[in-house]
Amino acid sequence: MTTYYKVLSRGHRACHGGTYHYTPGRWTKRLTTKACESGYHVATLEQLSRWLYVDSPDLLPLEVWEVEAEGVVDAGDKCVCERIRITRLLGTADEYDLRWIASIFAEQVLHN
């Protein structure tokens, strides 16, 4: 069974498009899926690093949630789902955490 993750801004709000406010433990309304247009976007562990950013500092800290998902379709750099529910907060990341993560990624690239 695949584990899925959702990156949100503080207060369980969407931060990569959309204005949805998620409620822990509550299923979202079921939607027809079409990547980048309709559906709820989540990531596998392999896709997660692509989504650890924000466009504006007022969205920090980021929240990384484990989610349950139904109707999942892999869209390459993310998965799109008919409905999801956020179930467990795994952690948060502020500006300093994100810079630290970026430095680790950069170091890995330099050594390869």
Side-chain angles (χ1 to χ4, degrees):
M1 180 174 180
T2 303
T3 302
Y4 298 101
Y5 304 92
K6 180 82 176 157
V7 178
L8 300 171
S9 66
R10 64 183 148 89
H12 327 317
R13 295 179 300 144
C15 61
H16 296 115
T19 58
Y20 199 85
H21 182 110
Y22 295 83
T23 301
R26 183 176 295 166
W27 283 100
T28 57
K29 176 181 147 184
R30 191 175 300 275
L31 297 174
T32 302
T33 59
K34 186 169 184 184
C36 299
E37 289 183 28
S38 178
Y40 303 95
H41 296 85
V42 299
T44 62
L45 184 59
E46 294 77 20
Q47 298 164 329
L48 184 59
S49 65
R50 163 84 169 79
W51 301 101
L52 295 175
Y53 75 92
V54 293
D55 293 329
S56 173
D58 65 325
L59 297 173
L60 292 172
L62 287 181
E63 301 174 349
V64 179
W65 286 84
E66 190 172 287
V67 304
E68 292 179 8
E70 292 181 351
V72 180
V73 176
D74 191 313
D77 65 340
K78 62 186 159 282
C79 296
V80 61
C81 311
E82 291 178 1
R83 72 180 192 151
I84 67 170
R85 69 175 164 184
I86 60 175
T87 58
R88 184 167 62 119
L89 178 63
L90 299 177
T92 61
D94 62 17
E95 179 180 357
Y96 300 102
D97 296 324
L98 294 174
R99 288 181 185 185
W100 177 71
I101 291 168
S103 70
I104 291 171
F105 291 165
E107 185 176 88
Q108 292 299 314
V109 170
L110 289 173
H111 293 294
N112 287 331

